[in-house]
Amino acid sequence: MKIFKSILLSVLLIVLVLGIWSFIIEPRFLLDVQTHEVEVPNLDPEWKGKKVALLADFQVGMWLGNTDMVRKAVRKALEAKPAMVLIAGDFVYKPDSSVIKRAVLLLQPLVEAEVPVIAVMGNHDYSQMEESSEVNEGMAAYLMATLEESGIKVLENESVPLHTGNGATFHVVGLGSTWAGRCDVKKALRNIPSDEPRVIFMHNPIAFRDIPADEGLFTLAAHTHGGQIRLPLFPSESWLNIARPREVVADGWAADTIGNGGNRLYVSRGIGFSLIPMRLFCRPELTIFNLSPTQGTVPQPGRG
């Protein structure tokens, strides 16, 4: 009986510690700043060494949300002195006008620093909790307009060229939301010569499969939150890898076998939550990519 009580108390203590860690400490105090070296074909030497910062999945408005971590990630992104900041959707959890204004306000330090900030929309930005959820076009349009008014460029199946002082061009391509039925890869790429450097980013990594071979050599996504819960002692595995095999990848660099030939995908764990405000062995993420040219046709993403 004493052994049974000791085991029970030990289990309860472990559950308590994991609860405190996953609901309070890890998601609210421990930001993982990932840094990766990325080779981009045809990159002009003027862009060598410049940085791309990736943020995603703020989910502002969710119960016990994570707005302090958004502020921290924005501050850390600015400290990296990026050439651009990309935001891969899900600004809000379930949009209304007050939540949208609160989410956009969190990003004003980026705009005030005069860093190009470019965004795409996620499923939650259309009020879609599930893939089958009704699309709220009105709230999504309001979010887009509010972002644009604040100085953040929103892309939907289109691209924008960024230039150095000497005119060297780097294209940023943004895809529309897959769940909202607004993703059109062909349209997004139509104005970019195939031999010009670019980054393609989207919210849902599923769209990566639709990018033609060698067109998505540097592609970024989010949406998965890394599964929010990782398996102990298996740092590269989350429940998402097991329970939802149709996902492209839970987080990090996708295997070379995923998607069309020559393409490379990185999936961010993002900042916020979905369903439950917890993260276990799966910290919120800010990702910094250092650009460099390559002599070959296929880039070699660094592993951080």
Side-chain angles (χ1 to χ4, degrees), residues 37-112:
E37 304 290 331
V38 179
E39 296 181 14
V40 180
N42 304 312
L43 186 75
D44 191 285
E46 288 287 324
W47 280 93
K48 182 179 180 180
K50 292 190 181 298
K51 299 175 181 179
V52 177
L54 175 65
L55 293 166
D57 294 299
F58 303 146
Q59 311 288 11
V60 175
M62 182 179 171
W63 62 290
L64 296 179
N66 214 10
T67 53
D68 285 343
M69 183 56 75
V70 177
R71 293 187 185 92
K72 182 175 182 178
V74 166
R75 185 175 69 253
K76 289 291 184 181
L78 285 174
E79 289 176 2
K81 300 186 183 305
M84 69 190 81
V85 177
L86 307 183
I87 305 177
D90 274 9
F91 292 85
V92 294
Y93 190 67
K94 190 170 184 180
D96 63 48
S97 58
S98 62
V99 171
I100 287 172
K101 290 177 181 177
R102 186 153 35 108
V104 174
L105 187 62
L106 291 169
L107 304 173
Q108 284 309 290
L110 297 173
V111 178
E112 292 168 1

Side-chain angles (χ1 to χ4, degrees), residues 277-299:
M278 68 175 293
R279 282 179 176 265
L280 184 62
F281 311 129
C282 189
R283 296 181 183 183
E285 177 181 345
L286 159 67
T287 324
I288 307 293
F289 300 93
N290 297 317
L291 304 180
S292 64
T294 180
Q295 300 302 315
T297 58
V298 178

Side-chain angles (χ1 to χ4, degrees), residues 178-212:
T178 298
W179 281 14
R182 303 182 73 94
C183 181
D184 187 334
V185 174
K186 184 177 180 180
K187 180 181 178 182
L189 295 172
R190 65 183 176 182
N191 294 322
I192 305 176
S194 60
D195 61 346
E196 292 198 4
R198 84 288 303 269
V199 58
I200 301 175
F201 78 120
M202 67 202 80
H203 180 66
N204 193 325
I206 291 295
F208 176 69
R209 294 171 173 169
D210 298 326
I211 299 174

